[in-house]
Amino acid sequence: MQNMTAKQAPRSYKVQRFLDGWSLFYENLIGKIGLYLLILFGLMAIVSYIPPHVDPMYHPMTGVDPDISYASPPSARHWLGTDNIGRDILSQLLTGARVAFLVGITAAFISIVIGTLLGMVAGYGGKILDALLMRLADMVMVMPSLLVILLLSVLFGQLSIWTIVILIALFRWPAVARVIRSQTLTLKQRPFIDMARVAGASHLRILFRHILPNVLPMALLYMTFRITSAIIVEAALSFLGFGDPNTVSWGMMLQWVWKTGHMFQAPYWLLPPGICISLMTLSFYMMGRAMEEVLDPRLRKIRKTDHAAT
Amino acid sequence: MNMKKLILRRSIEILAVFFIILTGLFLLFHIAPGDPVSMMVDLTMTPEDVERLVAQLGLDQPLWTQYLYYLKNFVTGNFGTSFHYGRPVIQIIGERLPATILLFTTATILAAMAGVWWGKRIAWYKGKAVDTWVTIFSLVCSTLFLPWIALLSIWLFAYWVGGFPLSGMMTPELWVVPDTGIVSKAADVAYHMLLPLMTLFIVNTGSYLLIMRSSMLETLKEDYILTARAKGLTERQVRNRHAAPNAALPVVTSVGLSLAFSVNGGALTETVFSWPGIGRELIFAVSNSDYPLAMASFLFIALVVLVANLIVDILYAYLDPRISY
Amino acid sequence: MLLPVIRHGKMLTGFLLSCLLAALISCGPGKHDSQMLRIGLMEEPRTTNVWLASDANSRKVLSLIYQPLYTYDPDTLDLAPWLAASMPEYDPATESYTIRLRHAKWSDGTPLTAHDVVFTVDLIRQFQVPRYYAQWQFVEKTVAVDDQTVRFFLSQPRAIFLTKTLVSFIVPKSQWAPIAQQAGSTKKPLVALMNAKIPKPLGSGPYMLEQWRQGAFLHMKKNPHFFGKNLVICNRRLGPHADAILFKMYSTADVAILALKKDAVDFFWWSIQPGYIDGLEKNRNTKIFLSDRSALYYMGFNVRHAPFSDPDFRRAATILIDKDFIIERVLQGYAASMDSIVPSENIFWHAADLPQYGHGLSREERIQMAFRLLSDAGYTWDRPPVNAAGKVVSPSGIILPSGRPMDAFTILTPPADYDPARATCGVIIQEWLKDLGIPASTRPMSFGALLQRIKDRQDFDTFILGYGQLSLDPDYLNNFFHSANDRPGGWNMSGYRNPEFDRLADASVQAMEPARRQELVWEMQRILMADLPYIPLYNPVAIEAVGTQRFEGWEQMIDGIGNIWSICRVKPLAAPM
């Protein structure tokens, strides 16, 4: 975070600010829980590379236990049991963490980039540009994004995980753009922007050198919320059977357990992916809330609900 | 800016947005691979059969002609005929939309009211352990993966514990009996709504609670609360008469937005609970290339969302004179 | 507006909650009529217009209303007279068939006569109704000899007349003539016919439609005029015994299964996944039926271009595909391996002694065998899959006999929501092909897009598709592989062309004598299994579940217990509820 806050400040000041923020964050119970959960999932994602090297049968997608060809409950060989074709659920679950991070962070990052850029441009540009971009944001905002992505997925054949990521990003920028715009509007009134302008800085330079560093913390905060919604959308899509079948995600696991008729027969298969999806979104959400309080407690008023974005 | 002007401007905006969605949808459906007839194809259908059908459904016309036709029909309220039902689309939507609206508005209102009720109370305990735990609990509930928790609750409450219906909107056995009165029919629908409502309630209430809590904390810093306290009103009066009504404003906004999102997730909820709503219908229509039905259901969903937003904006402007547009 | 709401929020919540509570108390799970058969469906039927009905559920419902002249004997799968009184009489001189009808009635009490049959055939021919026209196209003239006798004149001998045409249903002239006349006068007669609203379809079957509440349920009542009441056909005495049928919709199989276990439904008319079997067998309320199916799940090649045009390549791919693995794992053992396009369950038409590629071999042996076959055919590798010592290694850079490297290609499958088994098969087969360095990757597509790409644009490499209900008559061999059907939109999706096969196929279409046709069909299968434009994979078992608390006497036949015989024969259990 320290690299992103005001560039002009001396290094020691920045470090100090970061440390202050960090201790504030760490004192916050919610932030702490979120952080621990996140570390847990991070570990899962890292560990996920190990099982296939132990034995090819632990490959999450293609490995099958040579002796087990049905859904089996947890055992010494398969700590969380196997799915119906004899694949190890634990290694799928671990891989799922990796996919969730990948989907969540990439989609969130793209949407934050779009949202921040458009928000800055709208706020700085003003007038027609502002009106146009904000109407566009309104429009995208009211779109039932899950349904639209579903529609696209059905119409254009099954989408790959990357297409899904990009689509999620394309539907999730407006809220960010709005907040960044209002921040930019306040920043624009600030004297240092005027000074820069008088000094002959180009619009581009003002935008990226002076405004961007100041709105970045906000953008970063928003990223945590975008991550949760991206994970949920991917899970929901996969759950309905419109995910990428070559990817082992938690939503995909739920789809398998559902469509093969093991829903209520194999709790050891149904519960872990659901719990993981819920906890991972929870951890990002908690992190976000804690960060929010660190950055500015008054900001809570501006944000609108993102939670129900399934 | 006065109210009339605001409503007028927002309505025009909504119309423009609607038109764009309309056109976008049309294009999307027509450039996508896979024609509607190919979905009806089975082995008994010869290529000649397909050709005849395509011609009769007007799908062999150029894109422009189809688009103009579509616009013209749309303006006159003719949404076309569903390929699979063979009935006017508007009829099907007329049957499904009320079910969706009934379930989701009830769920949202209940959740928002409960959120306000608990949120204003919990704000009083800021900093105490109970506040932290309620916050954590609300966060846990609101991040539960909806379809998953919905299936679990069916299994738990309708199967394991029993007493709740498994699925659907009504008990057919009851409805086929000719002398069943309107009251028992309504009660039957309410009874079927219990489980979906409960699930939505669990998932949605938490976030309203949190919004209400934060907003309440902000409000409590305002001068007029101080004044109220200084007048010697009880804490309870201050909370319920003075703080809560103002603090509830952000909840109103989020109700409008979350209505949009519940329509979104509604497809999932409706599928899991076999609720005969429009979201489920849309998924069916889309995966079977029933163009007219899919487009119209999508448009109606968009319309509901847009109108909900409009109402929220107006309400907001009405309730909070500080907001200017 | 808002303020009072908030102020009285508590009261309002209390009120709503108590309303719901009252609702909960006032109606438990509704009392039910012990004579009512409750059938669960996966989706709601879409229409009661029989010409429009293209979805499985509408057809299920309509099959209880509209009846055919003949149906299949559940034991022998031979033609059995249904509305007809006896087997058709053939007159070679005029190329005509004469059929005598039973004294049947429509559900309104009016008699079903030869005129209704003539009307139905003429309607299909006049409107060229999709799906049905192809079956009646070669029937030049239909004549009502008298009220109970009808004669069909064929323009040419066609084997499918007996096995397919005669099992299509008859509609009442009294209900459809006005609709047909009105539709005929519109600009788009076919669409007008197919979109005609039929709130109360008039039929001759065991049940008639009483009420259809869209989105909730469909209620049918016993047809008092059903011709089969107490009649013995194919050694079975027909009922029906249930007074009414109630179709309930469950949009997920899980909930339907729970409903079966809770005795909220008597039969779930849908082939369920093997995963449910354990739980259902443990439950004393439910019973499982496993039935053979006439189905074909296969992998197809676009034989129009390399490398798929090379039969050796297709054979090598067949060797690599371990059907037993797919069946054991993906289908949990509930499927039969297929070695021909005609399922082996179709005893009469299935050819024996066909090659079983790679049967019983281990993975390594399969790779070695396929490797030998391909290297003999001129394929080379940068690093071959089998090294000098005969060990299987990870290969790279497969090169065609022409010297060009093999391009990466896709295996198209339906999406996972449509059929998870096929999507999974695609992924598994892709990995097997990679063992030989063949650069395959799976790509699931929505069904419509998939068919359009394969059938219309013919722009694809390989695909995995299936037919859940393959007709018992092997006429589909013609559709799939005759060169005349290799055209945009035609069913010969592989683009297979073989003059020898065409000759046999043409002969089989005209062969009216079953033994002769059987021989031809067997020969056709031998050619196909040597050339392998399709690799048949598996034929799943139909798994169906019923509740045992209220009804008994389900009739099992090919494709399961959801058939007209079951509906006409299930009896309520004597015990009072």
Side-chain angles (χ1 to χ4, degrees):
Chain A
M1 207 188 298
Q2 70 265 47
N3 300 326
M4 309 193 169
T5 32
K7 276 247 154 88
Q8 302 88 334
R11 194 176 165 76
S12 61
Y13 169 73
K14 276 192 289 183
V15 171
Q16 189 52 46
R17 222 184 116 176
F18 172 73
L19 287 178
D20 286 352
W22 171 255
S23 64
L24 251 176
F25 179 88
Y26 199 75
E27 270 165 33
N28 190 322
L29 177 64
I30 291 174
K32 221 169 5 184
I33 297 178
L35 189 70
Y36 287 149
L37 275 177
L38 199 66
I39 292 173
L40 180 74
F41 284 115
L43 282 177
M44 278 177 70
I46 295 168
V47 170
S48 73
Y49 290 97
I50 298 172
H53 293 290
V54 177
D55 190 313
M57 80 173 173
Y58 290 120
H59 190 284
M61 192 68 178
T62 53
V64 293
D65 189 304
D67 302 326
I68 300 175
S69 60
Y70 48 87
S72 66
S75 61
R77 214 152 83 187
H78 303 284
W79 296 350
L80 287 180
T82 62
D83 71 1
N84 66 325
I85 38 183
R87 297 183 292 194
D88 187 64
I89 292 176
L90 180 63
S91 53
Q92 289 185 349
L93 201 70
L94 296 177
T95 313
R98 198 165 78 207
V99 173
F101 271 114
L102 192 110
V103 168
I105 294 178
T106 333
F109 183 74
I110 301 173
S111 67
I112 291 304
V113 168
I114 301 174
T116 310
L117 282 181
L118 293 185
M120 282 193 323
V121 169
Y124 187 75
K127 298 254 165 52
I128 301 177
L129 203 57
D130 186 17
L132 267 179
L133 284 176
M134 285 303 108
R135 288 295 82 78
L136 183 69
D138 283 350
M139 204 169 90
V140 179
M141 196 126 145
V142 299
M143 287 282 207
S145 53
L146 179 71
L147 294 180
V148 178
I149 298 175
L150 209 137
L151 201 95
L152 291 171
S153 147
V154 172
L155 289 178
F156 293 93
Q158 203 125 11
L159 307 172
S160 81
I161 194 84
W162 294 112
T163 326
I164 293 173
V165 163
I166 291 170
L167 282 175
I168 294 174
L170 285 180
F171 281 103
R172 286 300 149 97
W173 59 267
V176 191
R178 275 190 170 181
V179 176
I180 299 294
R181 168 182 167 270
S182 62
Q183 277 226 317
T184 313
L185 282 179
T186 16
L187 281 172
K188 225 167 80 175
Q189 314 301 325
R190 292 282 214 33
F192 72 93
I193 300 287
D194 279 334
M195 273 157 67
R197 200 174 294 143
V198 171
S202 70
H203 290 315
L204 222 59
R205 193 180 159 77
I206 293 174
L207 270 180
F208 285 92
R209 288 289 302 181
H210 301 284
I211 293 182
L212 183 65
N214 286 295
V215 298
L216 262 185
M218 197 52 151
L220 197 73
L221 165 65
Y222 260 75
M223 194 163 147
T224 57
F225 296 119
R226 296 301 90 179
I227 292 174
T228 57
S229 73
I231 292 173
I232 290 177
V233 169
E234 195 277 334
L237 264 183
S238 301
F239 175 75
L240 285 174
F242 298 99
D244 183 343
N246 286 308
T247 313
V248 184
S249 70
W250 291 329
M252 215 61 200
M253 287 176 73
L254 281 181
Q255 209 258 338
W256 287 328
V257 63
W258 185 33
K259 283 288 155 100
T260 57
H262 288 80
M263 196 61 133
F264 302 131
Q265 264 78 251
Y268 50 87
W269 187 5
L270 168 69
L271 295 177
I275 293 174
C276 280
I277 296 173
S278 304
L279 284 187
M280 193 163 188
T281 49
L282 179 69
S283 78
F284 277 111
Y285 206 74
M286 283 179 152
M287 296 265 294
R289 276 188 73 89
M291 271 169 68
E292 198 175 21
E293 276 172 37
V294 173
L295 287 173
D296 184 355
R298 287 197 70 95
L299 286 176
R300 269 168 287 171
K301 231 168 95 180
I302 303 166
R303 187 167 52 81
K304 294 179 176 177
T305 45
D306 304 308
H307 56 275
T310 36
Chain B
M1 195 182 288
N2 66 31
M3 206 64 165
K4 264 188 204 155
K5 241 171 139 182
L6 168 73
I7 295 177
L8 191 72
R9 212 190 78 187
R10 296 289 284 135
S11 306
I12 290 171
E13 268 172 32
I14 281 179
L15 273 180
V17 168
F18 195 67
F19 179 79
I20 294 172
I21 295 177
L22 195 97
T23 310
L25 263 184
F26 176 85
L27 284 175
L28 207 63
F29 271 88
H30 285 80
I31 56 172
D35 61 281
V37 176
S38 68
M39 274 319 292
M40 310 182 200
V41 166
D42 47 52
L43 254 184
T44 42
M45 217 137 149
T46 62
E48 290 76 21
D49 285 345
V50 174
E51 251 167 60
R52 261 195 315 278
L53 241 133
V54 167
Q56 293 247 322
L57 293 170
L59 298 165
D60 55 349
Q61 304 279 319
L63 203 59
W64 258 116
T65 325
Q66 287 191 52
Y67 179 61
L68 289 177
Y69 211 71
Y70 168 69
L71 280 187
K72 191 192 106 195
N73 279 340
F74 193 84
V75 172
T76 53
N78 174 3
F79 294 85
T81 305
S82 156
F83 293 157
H84 285 272
Y85 286 91
R87 294 191 293 146
V89 163
I90 194 82
Q91 242 181 44
I92 300 165
I93 290 176
E95 283 159 14
R96 302 301 155 99
L97 199 59
T100 300
I101 292 178
L102 175 69
L103 178 61
F104 288 102
T105 41
T106 318
T108 311
I109 290 173
L110 278 180
M113 282 191 341
V116 166
W117 196 81
W118 276 316
K120 69 182 182 192
R121 275 167 181 74
I122 210 68
W124 242 252
Y125 298 97
K126 183 176 162 46
K128 304 237 174 70
V130 59
D131 175 44
T132 316
W133 289 110
V134 166
T135 308
I136 292 175
F137 183 71
S138 313
L139 282 171
V140 171
C141 284
S142 60
T143 52
L144 285 173
F145 188 49
L146 185 61
W148 181 74
I149 200 72
L151 277 159
L152 278 187
S153 70
I154 291 181
W155 183 75
L156 193 67
F157 294 109
Y159 180 67
W160 199 248
V161 177
F164 288 93
L166 280 166
S167 71
M169 194 176 168
M170 44 186 76
T171 314
E173 285 88 343
L174 187 81
W175 287 64
V176 294
V177 179
D179 54 0
T180 306
I182 184 87
V183 178
S184 23
K185 283 183 176 176
D188 186 46
V189 172
Y191 167 58
H192 277 81
M193 263 169 76
L194 279 179
L195 204 53
L197 275 185
M198 206 169 78
T199 313
L200 292 170
F201 186 80
I202 291 173
V203 176
N204 291 340
T205 307
S207 49
Y208 290 120
L209 189 156
L210 293 176
I211 297 169
M212 184 62 190
R213 174 185 163 276
S214 323
S215 157
M216 197 70 178
L217 291 176
E218 292 295 322
T219 315
L220 289 178
K221 291 178 197 149
E222 305 272 348
D223 294 341
Y224 62 87
I225 299 292
L226 270 174
T227 322
R229 278 194 172 133
K231 275 198 294 187
L233 294 176
T234 63
E235 286 294 282
R236 195 190 157 88
Q237 279 168 324
V238 172
R239 186 183 69 196
N240 290 351
R241 300 268 152 122
H242 295 267
N246 291 301
L249 280 180
V251 178
V252 176
T253 328
S254 87
V255 162
L257 274 168
S258 78
L259 257 183
F261 289 129
S262 27
V263 173
N264 207 358
L268 289 166
T269 321
E270 286 171 6
T271 305
V272 174
F273 288 105
S274 304
W275 191 259
I278 199 162
R280 218 182 95 194
E281 202 54 47
L282 176 65
I283 292 190
F284 167 82
V286 167
S287 44
N288 288 282
S289 298
D290 197 338
Y291 289 4
L293 184 56
M295 282 199 276
S297 355
F298 199 94
L299 283 174
F300 269 87
I301 289 178
L303 197 67
V304 169
V305 174
L306 287 171
V307 169
N309 269 286
L310 174 70
I311 293 173
V312 167
D313 280 356
I314 294 170
L315 213 59
Y316 209 81
Y318 174 78
L319 292 172
D320 190 350
R322 285 171 301 181
I323 302 287
S324 66
Y325 281 80
Chain C
M1 292 177 67
L2 182 79
L3 310 184
V5 171
I6 286 165
R7 231 169 262 146
H8 303 293
K10 203 162 154 191
M11 252 172 71
L12 214 75
T13 322
F15 173 72
L16 277 172
L17 282 178
S18 49
C19 273
L20 289 174
L21 216 68
L24 179 65
I25 294 159
S26 72
C27 52
K31 291 167 280 174
H32 41 64
D33 179 358
S34 68
Q35 299 291 306
M36 184 189 274
L37 176 65
R38 298 158 308 168
I39 300 181
L41 292 178
M42 191 66 167
E43 278 280 344
E44 191 179 13
R46 302 291 152 190
T47 176
T48 48
N49 183 326
V50 72
W51 306 117
L52 176 69
S54 58
D55 62 296
N57 296 304
S58 304
R59 291 189 190 185
K60 282 169 187 166
V61 170
L62 289 167
S63 75
L64 309 187
I65 298 174
Y66 294 107
Q67 299 305 309
L69 292 171
Y70 292 86
T71 186
Y72 293 112
D73 183 318
D75 302 320
T76 61
L77 301 182
D78 278 340
L79 221 51
W82 191 249
L83 281 174
S86 55
M87 293 307 282
E89 285 158 27
Y90 179 50
D91 177 19
T94 51
E95 196 64 54
S96 72
Y97 285 85
T98 310
I99 291 170
R100 291 199 53 78
L101 303 177
R102 289 181 205 273
H103 290 277
K105 280 180 177 166
W106 297 106
S107 53
D108 63 353
T110 55
L112 187 159
T113 66
H115 302 287
D116 290 307
V117 180
V118 174
F119 171 78
T120 305
V121 179
D122 288 348
L123 178 94
I124 291 172
R125 288 174 56 85
Q126 181 203 339
F127 286 88
Q128 307 192 346
V129 183
R131 285 190 193 87
Y132 304 101
Y133 181 56
Q135 290 167 27
W136 290 99
Q137 200 171 8
F138 51 85
V139 178
E140 208 165 39
K141 198 167 65 170
T142 315
V143 181
V145 180
D146 60 49
D147 273 3
Q148 294 310 123
T149 315
V150 64
R151 183 175 290 162
F152 300 101
F153 293 89
L154 272 55
S155 57
Q156 51 184 306
R158 283 298 288 273
I160 60 160
F161 179 71
L162 291 176
T163 49
K164 283 173 96 175
T165 310
L166 288 183
V167 293
S168 66
F169 54 82
I170 304 302
V171 300
K173 186 175 180 177
S174 62
Q175 184 171 41
W176 282 94
I179 297 169
Q181 194 176 16
Q182 215 226 329
S185 63
T186 60
K187 256 196 290 182
K188 292 176 173 173
L190 180 57
V191 167
L193 180 79
M194 289 172 67
N195 288 347
K197 216 174 155 184
I198 314 293
K200 289 264 163 171
L202 186 59
S204 53
Y207 290 90
M208 51 191 197
L209 184 64
E210 173 72 14
Q211 186 196 6
W212 179 14
R213 180 167 278 271
Q214 311 270 352
F217 62 86
L218 196 142
H219 183 208
M220 293 181 101
K221 278 218 165 126
K222 203 192 244 178
N223 171 8
H225 304 288
F226 178 49
F227 71 90
K229 182 89 191 156
N230 289 324
L231 220 59
V232 177
I233 303 179
C234 296
N235 301 319
R236 284 163 172 83
R237 184 171 294 280
L238 303 182
H241 303 293
D243 290 340
I245 296 184
L246 187 65
F247 284 99
K248 299 171 144 191
M249 327 305 169
Y250 297 94
S251 59
T252 66
D254 298 278
V255 174
I257 301 293
L258 293 185
L260 270 170
K261 289 182 181 172
K262 290 219 88 172
D263 192 30
V265 67
D266 299 310
F267 166 45
F268 182 42
W269 197 341
W270 181 263
S271 185
I272 56 176
Q273 292 286 328
Y276 295 114
I277 292 179
D278 264 0
L280 286 168
E281 274 178 345
K282 275 184 216 141
N283 193 301
R284 59 186 181 83
N285 284 346
T286 52
K287 187 178 169 193
I288 297 269
F289 284 92
L290 301 176
S291 329
D292 287 336
R293 267 166 80 173
S294 172
L296 164 70
Y297 289 78
Y298 66 95
M299 177 170 178
F301 293 101
N302 189 352
V303 303
R304 298 176 190 89
H305 65 79
F308 317 106
S309 50
D310 178 2
D312 278 325
F313 176 84
R314 306 197 293 260
R315 281 176 209 130
T318 317
I319 290 167
L320 286 173
I321 293 174
D322 187 347
K323 292 172 195 170
D324 294 329
F325 180 95
I326 292 179
I327 289 162
E328 192 193 331
R329 303 270 173 170
V330 182
L331 297 141
Q332 302 286 284
Y334 292 96
S337 176
M338 287 187 92
D339 292 306
S340 174
I341 303 295
V342 179
S344 56
E345 287 69 20
N346 196 344
I347 328 152
F348 188 79
W349 298 112
H350 173 75
D353 67 43
L354 293 166
Q356 296 186 312
Y357 294 89
H359 183 71
L361 297 186
S362 72
R363 184 100 300 270
E364 298 223 325
E365 288 164 340
R366 283 175 190 273
I367 296 172
Q368 284 160 346
M369 190 173 169
F371 168 67
R372 277 197 303 276
L373 184 69
L374 281 191
S375 32
D376 290 348
Y379 291 79
T380 50
W381 285 262
D382 290 343
R383 186 169 69 235
V386 178
N387 65 17
K391 277 262 178 285
V392 171
V393 292
S394 167
S396 72
I398 184 166
I399 296 160
L400 302 180
S402 66
R404 265 190 329 114
M406 188 184 290
D407 293 329
F409 64 89
T410 50
I411 305 171
L412 301 176
T413 70
D417 74 306
Y418 182 83
D419 178 6
R422 267 176 276 175
T424 312
C425 275
V427 176
I428 294 175
I429 290 175
Q430 150 200 322
E431 295 302 316
W432 285 336
L433 293 178
K434 277 184 186 158
D435 283 343
L436 210 65
I438 298 170
S441 61
T442 326
R443 173 143 192 250
M445 282 186 115
S446 73
F447 204 70
L450 181 71
L451 273 181
Q452 196 192 36
R453 211 156 140 194
I454 298 172
K455 258 177 73 204
D456 302 342
R457 304 218 316 266
Q458 304 182 340
D459 165 27
F460 67 99
D461 304 312
T462 63
F463 61 91
I464 296 177
L465 276 181
Y467 298 101
Q469 290 216 314
L470 211 52
S471 69
L472 290 172
D473 186 275
D475 187 50
Y476 48 79
L477 288 179
N478 249 313
N479 293 336
F480 292 162
F481 304 112
H482 196 288
S483 59
N485 291 319
D486 175 18
R487 55 188 160 143
W491 279 110
N492 184 347
M493 301 184 282
S494 267
Y496 179 70
R497 286 170 178 271
N498 182 340
E500 171 67 9
F501 179 88
D502 287 356
R503 197 182 54 76
L504 289 169
D506 289 335
S508 81
V509 166
Q510 307 243 335
M512 298 302 277
E513 193 197 326
R516 165 90 187 110
R517 186 157 175 242
Q518 185 185 39
E519 233 164 74
L520 291 165
V521 168
W522 284 359
E523 190 52 36
M524 285 155 74
Q525 291 174 60
R526 278 179 207 120
I527 294 179
L528 290 173
M529 283 307 97
D531 271 359
L532 290 166
Y534 285 1
I535 304 174
L537 296 174
Y538 59 86
N539 176 10
V541 170
I543 307 166
E544 287 162 303
V546 299
T548 52
Q549 298 297 299
R550 301 174 70 241
F551 283 88
E552 63 176 2
W554 299 93
E555 284 287 338
Q556 205 169 2
M557 65 184 286
I558 198 158
D559 286 332
I561 55 172
N563 55 54
I564 189 81
W565 298 99
S566 283
I567 300 295
C568 288
R569 304 235 325 144
V570 287
K571 277 196 182 111
L573 287 173
M577 288 299 288

